[in-house]
Amino acid sequence: MKTLVTGGCGFVGANLVRKLLANDHDVVILDNLSTGNRAYIDGLDLELIIGDIREPDAWASVLDDIDAIIHLAAHTSVPASVANPHIDFDINVRGTFNLLSAARDHNVERFVFASSNAPLGKQPAPVREDRPALPIAPYGASKLAGEGYCMAFNGSYGMHTVALRFANLYGRFAGHKESVIARFFNIAMNECKLTIYGDGHQTRDFIHVDDLTTGILLAMTNDEAAGDIIQLATGVETEVIELAKHIQDLVPHDVELVYNPPRVGDIYRNYSDITKARQVLGFDPVIPLEAGLKDTFTWFMEHREG
């Protein structure tokens, strides 16, 4: 396939394009480089188009010979979406609609949308795809809208669309991210204290980016996934304090754990049921957290500033 990856210079994109190339795909990246890093794709045999998903006139003609779009580009910060819901809507809703509309007009057959569990909001764990969406922040609402448009373009125009709800991601090329593992590594490598908000027994589902990108490729090529919403996670519930202790073991100096009051709006238990991903996609995450953290720490150490 010839595959367009939006946001291909970002964390997930930099890992995904390497997997696509290793599987003999022709790859085109569309990225405005607002958060992506061009250096992440240096030396790769692909095409980079610098453009914004909100400005289709600048890139729509490229879709004439594209077989599939994997849409990763997004405004991803929940707090930033609360502070400025307009920009969140503009990028995540209007930008996604632009891509879907252009894909339809240029006969692109397949469209994979990167979503998250944010549309579900506060739900009892484990979260499942059949639960009603109850977003509690503009970010979750914008991702829910993107999922809705994907389902509508499948139902109305027969496009092979699938929305994938990503769990908490970590791995190589995540040095600039504010997700918990990236943040813990960046702080622990440079300081002697690591702050945990709450009692540390709150849980998350952490998936290594290599497992995630395998799931993306399965969804793109699996006809049974068309018109569906599928969670990509490990199905493993990990306490934040367990994560912090793994990072303490990896960092070559003593790191003290400091506890602060829980943050307003934080969900206490959050992990995913991946039954549908296993049944529909044959998805089977294989990287355990401890091994994935070692791999990630090696990358962070090799790319630390200073």
Side-chain angles (χ1 to χ4, degrees):
M1 287 186 183
K2 187 167 186 178
T3 304
L4 176 76
V5 180
T6 71
C9 294
F11 160 43
V12 177
N15 287 279
L16 176 64
V17 297
R18 284 168 168 79
K19 186 158 288 187
L20 287 166
L21 292 169
N23 283 273
D24 298 322
H25 291 259
D26 293 327
V27 176
V28 181
I29 289 175
L30 174 65
D31 200 307
N32 67 4
L33 301 181
S34 59
T35 58
N37 188 339
R38 192 168 187 164
Y40 286 175
I41 62 164
D42 279 351
L44 299 182
D45 183 18
L46 50 74
E47 179 183 357
L48 170 63
I49 298 169
I50 300 175
D52 195 298
I53 57 174
R54 294 168 291 179
E55 300 170 357
D57 289 346
W59 47 260
S61 62
V62 175
L63 301 183
D64 283 336
D65 60 348
I66 294 293
D67 300 303
I69 295 172
I70 301 175
H71 178 31
L72 304 175
H75 185 254
T76 60
S77 168
V78 172
S81 80
V82 175
N84 191 341
H86 299 283
I87 190 71
D88 193 77
F89 172 86
D90 200 34
I91 296 172
N92 291 351
V93 182
R94 191 164 69 88
T96 298
F97 178 82
N98 285 344
L99 277 163
L100 283 164
S101 182
R104 178 201 60 186
D105 294 344
H106 292 263
N107 299 311
V108 177
E109 295 181 358
R110 294 173 183 264
F111 190 101
V112 178
F113 175 60
S115 187
S116 80
N117 285 336
L120 288 172
K122 290 187 177 181
Q123 302 272 0
V127 295
R128 297 194 302 268
E129 295 91 343
D130 59 358
R131 295 258 176 85
L134 300 168
I136 58 176
Y139 172 71
S142 70
K143 284 298 186 179
L144 178 60
E147 292 177 354
Y149 274 114
C150 285
M151 302 307 99
F153 271 67
N154 171 261
S156 297
Y157 309 114
M159 188 185 300
H160 181 292
T161 63
V162 57
L164 300 176
R165 289 178 174 166
F166 298 170
N168 293 68
L169 302 174
Y170 70 101
R172 298 177 297 276
F173 301 105
H176 64 291
K177 300 297 287 183
E178 287 296 318
S179 53
V180 61
I181 290 178
R183 188 172 71 252
F184 274 9
F185 271 134
N186 279 323
I187 294 172
M189 288 191 307
N190 298 292
E191 301 179 19
C192 295
K193 292 183 178 181
L194 202 57
T195 300
I196 294 175
Y197 293 93
D199 62 10
H201 296 293
Q202 60 268 41
T203 61
R204 297 293 183 266
D205 190 328
F206 298 107
I207 182 170
H208 191 276
V209 71
D210 280 354
D211 279 334
L212 179 92
T213 52
T214 294
I216 292 173
L217 264 65
L218 288 170
M220 181 175 68
T221 56
N222 186 307
D223 290 338
E224 191 179 347
D228 214 340
I229 297 171
I230 299 175
Q231 295 178 162
L232 291 185
T234 64
V236 176
E237 186 176 21
T238 300
E239 292 188 348
V240 171
I241 192 170
E242 178 186 346
L243 168 67
K245 288 178 178 178
H246 281 310
I247 291 175
Q248 279 182 310
D249 292 340
L250 289 168
V251 175
H253 56 261
D254 290 338
V255 176
E256 179 187 1
L257 300 184
V258 178
Y259 294 84
N260 277 0
R263 293 174 295 191
V264 176
D266 274 358
I267 297 172
Y268 196 73
R269 295 184 65 205
N270 187 11
Y271 72 104
S272 301
D273 183 330
I274 60 169
T275 300
K276 182 187 280 191
R278 292 185 188 279
Q279 293 177 345
V280 176
L281 303 180
F283 176 66
D284 185 24
V286 297
I287 301 174
L289 181 62
E290 190 170 359
L293 288 173
K294 288 179 180 178
D295 172 73
T296 304
F297 180 67
T298 298
W299 186 91
F300 270 73
M301 290 296 292
E302 291 173 349
H303 294 83
R304 68 186 302 183
E305 295 183 1

